[in-house]
Amino acid sequence: MPTKKMILGAAAGLLALGAATGVASAAFADTSASGTPASPSTAQNTPAVGDRHGGGKLVQELASKLGVDQSKVEAALKSFRDANRPSSGAKENSESKADRQANRTAHQAALEKSLASALGVSEAKVHEAFTAIHADQRAQREASLKKKLDSAVTSGKLTQAEEDAVLKAQGLGLLGGGRRE
């Protein structure tokens, strides 16, 4: 039977994870030219591909890994997004988790095929580049979480066992924060 201390520790760990997720979300938030968060309708119409998910870092990393010019990658991504923009109200909240995953996988495969064609590289090379970028991003998120949890242990807010439990739950994909492959 869980003790009160264990429950409080787990809650503190989840709170720390929630804070880390919030900070990461704010850091990667889409902003308009004024520097204020973009509304959903503005975000869909934002022409600059590099403004999404890391301010051009994806474009830069893809260009580097594929050995092509950044402007070509940005143009190819913009072309794909323009061609595959969902119609308003197209997103259904009634989709099952399996349906969402299947749609996400199909979308990623279509993106990889489109980029390969537009950039004149193999689909396998594009897939490998995305896989490497996603692995790097996952490792950075995990390192950031570990650093924050280590700080909480050092300050006495968490025990080492509580940190280990949060890290184990995160590694198993039980706390969200990204897909596990």
Side-chain angles (χ1 to χ4, degrees), residues 1-12:
M1 177 170 227
T3 66
K4 185 176 182 179
K5 186 174 180 179
M6 288 175 60
I7 292 171
L8 289 174

Side-chain angles (χ1 to χ4, degrees), residues 142-165:
E142 290 170 357
S144 175
L145 175 61
K146 177 143 179 48
K147 183 177 178 181
K148 289 175 184 175
L149 291 172
D150 286 344
S151 176
V153 169
T154 301
S155 67
K157 294 178 182 174
L158 290 176
T159 66
Q160 186 60 52
E162 292 165 338
E163 175 184 355
D164 294 343

Side-chain angles (χ1 to χ4, degrees), residues 43-63:
Q44 284 183 346
N45 296 325
T46 302
V49 174
D51 289 343
R52 292 181 51 132
H53 309 293
K57 190 174 180 183
L58 174 64
V59 172
Q60 183 180 20
E61 290 180 7
L62 277 172

